[in-house]
Amino acid sequence: MRLLVMVIAAVSSMGCLSASTMGLARTLNKGAVQGWASAAGGGIIASAPTASTGGVPTTTSTGTGYPMVEGGVRVGVSDHVELGGRLGFNGIGIEGKFGFVRSPTMDSGVNVSLAPQVGFVGIGVAGAFVGVVTMQLPVLIGIDFGGHELVLGPKLHNSIYFAGVSAGGSSANAVIDLLSAGASVGFAIKAGPVRLLPEVSFVVPFFASAGASASGTSGAVASGVGVGGFAFQIGFGILFGSSESYERAEDPIVSPPPMPAPAPVPMPIPADGPPPPPPPSN
């Protein structure tokens, strides 16, 4: 069985692969708390060369589709750092965001941040287990206009699948490491205290390695580049939070106090009027 077919089988057994970001490139304000939820659908398509038939190379392809539901909470540690956690069909995970460029307002400008994520999902039963650790490192570039943001996210994505079984005094283990490159494109629409975020993401594997061992054997390792296939995901998210999660309300304009009324000016005495009384004598 070809290496990529093994990878796809591992992905299918674990259920779901998530390559989404579901966030802005702009970091939250210090002290801001944001919740989010998303629903998506995705698919994995893989192909690998097999032995040629009659001198003509043939290819083995396989694919699967899956639903994805995710959600999480994020907190602004500072205006340039946020931390969060997520939970979904793809297990549990932690994430961070570190802003390097932050525009003064979201009316216009550019934001640039690094948003690492790590996730895990696994299951064990009756002497057998299977799990996957996922890591992705997107560089998020956000273009702001009118309070909305176009989010571009080139990324590296790494999935490590592992499985083992033990029975009757013998055991077997396998590990598959799949390294991919990809990108996501989203558009965060400001709608009052929430933001609506449609997003499309994909990853393309370019390196894979696999190792397997069993009791009484020396084990085997294989690796290769130019792995065929890709994974994609199309989703829609809602980001909950106050309207000041990314921008603080401007200080109210205080009007200056009214100017005091001018003092009355004494009326001049007409020239043909009676003379003023003489000053009192001592």
Side-chain angles (χ1 to χ4, degrees), residues 99-201:
F100 299 106
V101 178
R102 196 174 195 263
S103 60
T105 73
M106 292 194 68
D107 291 334
S108 63
V110 175
N111 302 286
V112 180
S113 61
L114 193 65
Q117 300 176 11
V118 179
F120 168 78
V121 61
I123 186 172
V125 59
F129 69 91
V130 60
V132 58
V133 175
T134 58
M135 295 166 281
Q136 68 172 354
L137 186 64
V139 177
L140 301 180
I141 303 168
I143 303 172
D144 295 338
F145 49 92
H148 313 298
E149 185 172 282
L150 175 64
V151 187
L152 309 176
K155 66 186 66 181
L156 288 175
H157 191 283
N158 190 30
S159 298
I160 303 173
Y161 304 92
F162 52 91
V165 61
S166 177
S170 61
S171 63
N173 300 279
V175 177
I176 300 172
D177 190 353
L178 186 64
L179 186 60
S180 308
S184 60
V185 179
F187 185 55
I189 305 168
K190 184 178 180 181
V194 303
R195 280 178 165 81
L196 310 178
L197 180 55
E199 183 186 70
V200 177
S201 58

Side-chain angles (χ1 to χ4, degrees), residues 20-130:
S20 69
T21 302
M22 281 299 161
L24 278 66
R26 186 180 182 87
T27 49
L28 293 168
N29 290 335
K30 180 180 179 179
V33 179
Q34 181 185 79
W36 63 276
S38 71
I44 301 172
I45 299 175
S47 61
T50 59
S52 61
T53 302
V56 179
T58 60
T59 301
T60 299
S61 298
T62 184
T64 184
Y66 57 86
M68 172 63 70
V69 176
E70 296 179 274
V73 177
R74 301 172 178 133
V75 178
V77 179
S78 72
D79 286 354
H80 292 83
V81 176
E82 70 178 59
L83 300 175
R86 57 171 58 198
L87 178 67
F89 287 179
N90 60 326
I92 60 175
I94 57 175
E95 61 181 37
K97 188 179 297 178
F98 304 92
F100 299 106
V101 178
R102 196 174 195 263
S103 60
T105 73
M106 292 194 68
D107 291 334
S108 63
V110 175
N111 302 286
V112 180
S113 61
L114 193 65
Q117 300 176 11
V118 179
F120 168 78
V121 61
I123 186 172
V125 59
F129 69 91
V130 60

Side-chain angles (χ1 to χ4, degrees), residues 198-219:
E199 183 186 70
V200 177
S201 58
F202 71 93
V203 292
V204 178
F206 61 87
F207 178 83
S209 65
S213 64
S215 299
T217 65
S218 59

